[in-house]
Each structure stands twice: as structure tokens, then as C-alpha cells.
Amino acid sequence: MHPAIINASQLILVGDILGAEKVLSDIADQHGDTALMQILGDVAPKDLLAIMREYDSSKESLLSMMVTPEQFARAVVLDKHYGERNKDKMRGMINAVIYKNPDLTSEYLEPIFKAAGGVETMADYFYGRLEDVLNFVMHASNTTTPLPFLSDDGDSTSDEIREFFNVFHSLEHILDKTNWSYTRSEVADNDWKETIWLLFHELPDEFELLIGELQGRVLMQAMRNERRSKPISDSALESLMQAISKTDDAEESAI
């Protein structure tokens, strides 16, 4: 393994992310971009992600410019393992890579969806934009119509939400009713809107997976809310009290 990779990994372990990036970038400065591209494949995905997570939009990251679609996919799906997650920052990191060359954006998106955990990662990418996304895929416009299940403070039941998706936001309905009168250049923002446009037009299978994941998350949250708000029956409460009593007796006996 190249000494620079070992050095960079050790610097990451002690928290010197900028130092690790410099070690790898120095390879390009000293031996050319091709030399850096040749060794990037040996950099551990977690180390590559650690560096790219420090992406600063005010400056260009050499690693973000050089990473291949497959290398990036292997790294970015690991983001969910970080305890301190900033999904807006994650979206910025992804955008920096997939839009470095607009002609290659789909080539970077496809491997992410194919990687284990990739669909979930891209759903995180759209975090906080669910209402915008669902409105956009239905109307292809910036008009945002409040969606009942996102604006009623949890009053909609999971059955009502499921029916809403089955009727109004089923994939078949979206594909049939979406009026994509906008061209890519008209929606280009190097962000979520352009990304959903590309998925719809160039990666329809991945688009379907994404919509399914986003809708599934809404339903799952509704079901969690229902479980929390459901009153405990008298029999369940009695069983719980008996279990607590037995635990207390066991502890006293042990003492």
C-alpha cells in the first residue's frame, strides 16, 4: 500500500482530516493527477468519506474532483454510521461530486443506488424536502401544495396515508400525470430538484426505488405515532404491573 495512504489513515484516526487530505493531494502536486487517481482505489471507503465529509463549498476539493462513481458510492453509503449527521451537509458533499461534471451526474447516481444502503442514503439526501419533492414530481413546478399527512400534526392515520399514496402518489399515477414540460436546464440547481429530474428521466428504476423509500418513511412514522398514542388496555397494564412486581421481588430476594 502506498505510504501516503497509510499516513492519511493515521492522520484521520487522530482527527487531522485536513492533514490527511493534504497528504493525498500532495501526490497530485508532485506526480500528477493520474498518480492520485491510481491510488484512490486503495484508500479505505471510510477514510475517503471522512475527508469528503469536511467538504467546504468555498473551495474546490481535489479528492471530490478525482473520485470515481464506484469509489464515491462505496464511501457515501457509510455516512449513516456517523453519530453526528448533518444531512444538509451530506447533500452538499454529494452535490459537489455528482455535479462536478453535469454530463456524468447519472453515472455517479446509479452506483449509489446499487450499493447496499444506497437507496436509504439518497432518501436522506432529500431529507427535509419531502413535500417539495412529491409536489415537484406531480406538478413539475415550484408550487407547493400542502400535503395532508405532512401538515396536520400527525392527525392522518397510516391507513389514510397509505390510501393517499395508492391513489394520488402511486408510481403509476406519477408516471401518468407528471407534466415534465421543464427541460433540465430550466430546473438546473445542482441540487435536489435537478437530481429528481435526472432520476425520473434517466434512471427510472432508481426513481421508483426512491419514491417507494420516501413514502415508506412517511408511513413508518405514522405507524410509530399511532403506537405511541394508542391507549394501554387494562389487561396490558395489569400484566405490566405484575411483571414489575416480580422484578422487585427478585431484587429484594437477591439482597
Side-chain angles (χ1 to χ4, degrees), residues 134-203:
L134 292 178
N135 271 281
F136 186 68
V137 298
M138 289 300 296
H139 310 296
S141 73
N142 292 325
T143 302
T144 298
T145 302
L147 301 177
F149 51 85
L150 293 179
S151 58
D152 61 7
D153 297 324
D155 290 338
S156 296
T157 67
S158 59
D159 288 338
E160 290 171 339
I161 295 172
R162 188 177 290 107
E163 182 64 20
F164 187 86
F165 282 147
N166 287 339
V167 176
F168 296 104
H169 279 84
S170 66
L171 188 69
E172 294 78 8
H173 190 73
I174 290 172
L175 295 175
D176 181 52
K177 298 298 183 182
T178 297
N179 177 22
W180 290 104
S181 57
Y182 286 86
T183 64
R184 178 180 178 179
S185 61
E186 289 175 305
V187 301
D189 60 355
N190 285 4
D191 200 358
W192 72 268
K193 192 177 298 181
E194 188 172 359
T195 302
I196 199 71
W197 190 99
L198 281 165
L199 289 172
F200 181 87
H201 283 85
E202 299 183 10
L203 299 171

Side-chain angles (χ1 to χ4, degrees), residues 73-235:
R74 288 193 295 269
V76 75
V77 296
L78 299 177
D79 187 80
K80 62 180 177 292
H81 296 300
Y82 279 79
E84 77 303 341
R85 297 189 69 199
N86 183 323
K87 293 178 183 177
D88 288 332
K89 187 173 182 179
M90 183 197 75
R91 191 171 71 250
M93 175 189 69
I94 291 177
N95 287 338
V97 174
I98 68 176
Y99 286 109
K100 63 185 180 182
N101 182 340
D103 293 334
L104 300 178
T105 301
S106 292
E107 293 186 24
Y108 276 87
L109 286 171
E110 188 173 10
I112 297 176
F113 280 90
K114 289 182 177 180
V119 177
E120 293 83 355
T121 296
M122 288 307 300
D124 288 343
Y125 171 91
F126 290 99
Y127 175 80
R129 295 283 186 178
L130 183 56
E131 195 164 49
D132 294 330
V133 169
L134 292 178
N135 271 281
F136 186 68
V137 298
M138 289 300 296
H139 310 296
S141 73
N142 292 325
T143 302
T144 298
T145 302
L147 301 177
F149 51 85
L150 293 179
S151 58
D152 61 7
D153 297 324
D155 290 338
S156 296
T157 67
S158 59
D159 288 338
E160 290 171 339
I161 295 172
R162 188 177 290 107
E163 182 64 20
F164 187 86
F165 282 147
N166 287 339
V167 176
F168 296 104
H169 279 84
S170 66
L171 188 69
E172 294 78 8
H173 190 73
I174 290 172
L175 295 175
D176 181 52
K177 298 298 183 182
T178 297
N179 177 22
W180 290 104
S181 57
Y182 286 86
T183 64
R184 178 180 178 179
S185 61
E186 289 175 305
V187 301
D189 60 355
N190 285 4
D191 200 358
W192 72 268
K193 192 177 298 181
E194 188 172 359
T195 302
I196 199 71
W197 190 99
L198 281 165
L199 289 172
F200 181 87
H201 283 85
E202 299 183 10
L203 299 171
D205 291 341
E206 286 74 11
F207 176 84
E208 180 176 355
L209 291 171
L210 174 68
I211 296 299
E213 174 68 19
L214 292 176
Q215 293 182 350
R217 289 187 178 193
V218 173
L219 282 170
M220 185 61 68
Q221 184 58 52
M223 293 171 69
R224 290 195 189 101
N225 292 340
E226 288 172 350
R227 284 197 293 269
R228 283 197 294 265
S229 62
K230 187 176 181 179
I232 300 177
S233 66
D234 292 339
S235 59

Side-chain angles (χ1 to χ4, degrees), residues 236-248:
L237 183 59
E238 183 179 351
S239 297
L240 177 62
M241 294 302 295
Q242 290 177 352
I244 293 174
S245 176
K246 289 179 181 178
T247 301
D248 290 341

